[in-house]
Amino acid sequence: MGEFTFELNEDQEQVRDWLHGFAADVMRPAAAEWDEREETPWPIIQEAAKLGIYSLDFYAQQFFDPTGLGVPLTMEELFWGDAGIALAIVGTGLAAVGVLANGTEEQIGTWVPQMYGDANDVKVAAFCSSEPDAGSDVASMRTRAVYDEAKDEWVLNGTKTWATNGGIANVHVVVAVVDPELGSKGHASFIVPPNTPGLSQGQKFRKHGIRASHTAEVVLEDVRIPGHCLLGGKEKLDERLARAREKAKAGGERVKNAAMATFEASRPAVGAMAVGTARAAYEVALDYAKTRVQFGRPVIENQGVAFQLADMATQIDAARLLVWRASWMATAGKPFTSAEGSMSKLYASEVAKKVTAQAIQILGGNGYTREYPVERMHRDAAIYTIFEGTSEIQRLVISRTIGK
């Protein structure tokens, strides 16, 4: 385990600068176009794949960075480029994390490569947890998975919503109820292989922001998948359910479910995304304030504007430090005893919304137009306080943790 330090090593600096170049030269020039088109930017994903950015090997290297900073550095730079395109590039990662968090070594080796494809045949994956009546309230999930012992198959029925890459994915990871009496403890995660009959795309959502990222419903109608597509295997599931039943009878401690294990692992990464968007908006506002002349002097010489920028810079740095701490803790195997993962996601998400709004204010009327990117950045930033656990849910997790 590497020692924690605020100083990046040479490899991390090289990766950061490489990603920054891709974000500046490839993503930013295309950002407005794909935001308007509201379509998956396949050409840019393919370019990322050719360069090795969109690949299992690259994300594995960042995931296993001994300092824990590989993933947040990657997310910050890509989302500095453009949040919508970045989410189209990294959205597969949530499904991959779902397999890494719950799957066996064989399942990881089999399915994660199929989520990415290769530079000549790019694929994406989808993690399907939320439902029309069960977003943050995972205990209300209705999608069922029933085991057909005679055929060693699981049969899935239900509707998932808000699924990034839903319906267009090569591989879908679906969280479903296997034991309704256990509530959220009776959930399990399943791989739905490519071209499985019964899985279809429902409504595609037209969104306020992150428009280059495909978000849709996934409909499951008598979807039959082999028994080995249960992440972790049936023996492990049966043992977990038995423990949950025993603890439920005894009123014992809570048991984490499959979806929560995935979200807990990904929350600092979402915080890093928010930091990237906030930093991008801050830099636009800072440059504008230095060059925009009003009443015979640059706008930044107005104390009201200068103090706003000072607060923005401070809040972005504070958010990054919370993200880095949580990421380091997760890699070091240190438990989030004070909900540090949720803290990082909560604070960074709120900072992104606030900073992008301030950027619009500093640019004035220009900031409200699509001629400048801060308007898009503000729309994009709204998602961070909503997906993978709303800010209210993060506060709930934090308050319950510190209140023990």
Side-chain angles (χ1 to χ4, degrees):
M1 176 57 59
E3 290 185 12
F4 181 80
T5 174
F6 292 116
E7 185 175 4
L8 302 182
N9 60 42
E10 185 176 349
D11 288 343
Q12 289 170 329
E13 288 181 344
Q14 289 179 351
V15 169
R16 179 199 61 193
D17 294 344
W18 174 52
L19 291 170
H20 188 81
F22 176 80
D25 299 337
V26 179
M27 296 173 67
R28 282 205 166 180
E33 174 191 350
W34 289 101
D35 177 71
E36 291 286 347
R37 291 175 63 168
E38 298 191 52
E39 297 174 359
T40 301
W42 291 107
I44 299 179
I45 298 175
Q46 187 167 32
E47 183 65 20
K50 288 179 180 178
L51 294 173
I53 294 172
Y54 185 77
S55 72
L56 173 59
D57 288 343
F58 173 72
Y59 287 110
Q61 289 174 13
Q62 305 318 306
F63 185 82
F64 291 111
D65 181 334
T67 69
L69 299 185
V71 171
L73 285 172
T74 297
M75 296 302 174
E76 180 175 338
E77 292 306 323
L78 292 178
F79 280 76
W80 173 89
D82 177 68
I85 294 175
L87 193 57
I89 293 173
V90 307
T92 292
L94 186 59
V97 168
V99 177
L100 290 168
N102 301 295
T104 64
E105 289 187 10
E106 182 179 356
Q107 289 171 329
I108 293 169
T110 298
W111 296 110
V112 176
Q114 294 186 47
M115 294 179 173
Y116 290 92
D118 57 46
N120 297 317
D121 187 19
V122 170
K123 305 292 185 183
V124 295
F127 182 74
C128 308
S129 177
S130 294
E131 298 184 1
D133 296 318
S136 298
D137 182 13
V138 295
S140 297
M141 190 177 293
R142 295 180 180 177
T143 297
R144 289 294 309 275
V146 178
Y147 185 56
D148 184 342
E149 189 171 358
K151 296 183 178 180
D152 185 26
E153 292 180 338
W154 288 91
V155 184
L156 277 60
N157 281 282
T159 299
K160 294 295 181 179
T161 194
W162 310 122
T164 298
N165 297 330
I168 66 170
N170 192 48
V171 176
H172 291 76
V173 177
V174 177
V175 181
V177 179
V178 294
D179 189 333
E181 294 182 1
L182 292 176
S184 62
K185 304 177 189 69
H187 296 176
S189 291
F190 299 85
I191 291 286
V192 180
N195 304 313
T196 298
L199 184 148
S200 62
Q201 179 183 307
Q203 176 186 5
K204 177 185 175 181
F205 296 104
R206 294 174 61 84
K207 304 188 299 294
H208 177 64
I210 54 167
R211 294 177 177 177
S213 174
H214 175 96
T215 310
E217 290 182 331
V218 174
V219 180
L220 304 151
E221 297 178 307
D222 291 329
V223 173
R224 285 185 168 269
I225 56 175
H228 60 76
C229 287
L230 165 65
L231 289 179
K234 193 166 188 306
E235 183 177 347
K236 183 178 178 181
L237 172 65
D238 289 342
E239 291 175 356
R240 178 168 63 81
L241 294 178
R243 289 196 305 270
R245 293 185 189 106
E246 290 176 4
K247 289 175 180 177
K249 290 178 182 178
E253 62 185 89
R254 300 166 62 127
V255 178
K256 289 178 184 174
N257 63 66
M260 289 301 100
T262 300
F263 291 142
E264 186 171 298
S266 64
R267 276 170 180 160
V270 177
M273 298 174 188
V275 171
T277 299
R279 189 184 110 210
Y282 161 74
E283 290 177 0
V284 172
L286 178 63
D287 181 67
Y288 185 89
K290 288 178 177 179
T291 56
R292 174 72 166 175
V293 175
Q294 290 285 280
F295 303 106
R297 60 180 182 173
V299 171
I300 198 169
E301 292 184 15
N302 181 321
Q303 191 177 77
V305 173
F307 279 15
Q308 280 195 75
L309 288 163
D311 286 343
M312 292 158 74
T314 301
Q315 291 161 358
I316 291 167
D317 275 6
R320 182 184 296 110
L321 290 174
L322 282 171
V323 167
W324 282 18
R325 180 185 67 170
S327 300
W328 171 78
M329 289 178 68
T331 300
K334 297 183 180 296
F336 291 155
T337 55
S338 297
E340 288 87 353
S342 289
M343 284 183 179
S344 68
K345 199 265 185 188
L346 169 65
Y347 188 73
S349 298
E350 296 293 341
V351 165
K353 282 187 67 175
K354 183 176 181 180
V355 165
T356 53
Q358 287 176 307
I360 291 176
Q361 194 68 24
I362 290 170
L363 269 67
N366 286 329
Y368 198 65
T369 71
R370 296 190 181 181
E371 297 300 313
Y372 288 79
V374 291
E375 172 271 339
R376 184 180 68 252
M377 292 169 183
H378 184 51
R379 286 190 285 108
D380 292 340
I383 195 59
Y384 300 127
T385 62
I386 299 172
F387 73 174
E388 295 195 49
T390 63
S391 287
E392 291 73 22
I393 288 296
Q394 306 310 321
R395 291 185 175 98
L396 181 63
V397 171
I398 295 165
S399 63
R400 284 179 174 175
T401 302
I402 63 176
K404 288 181 180 178

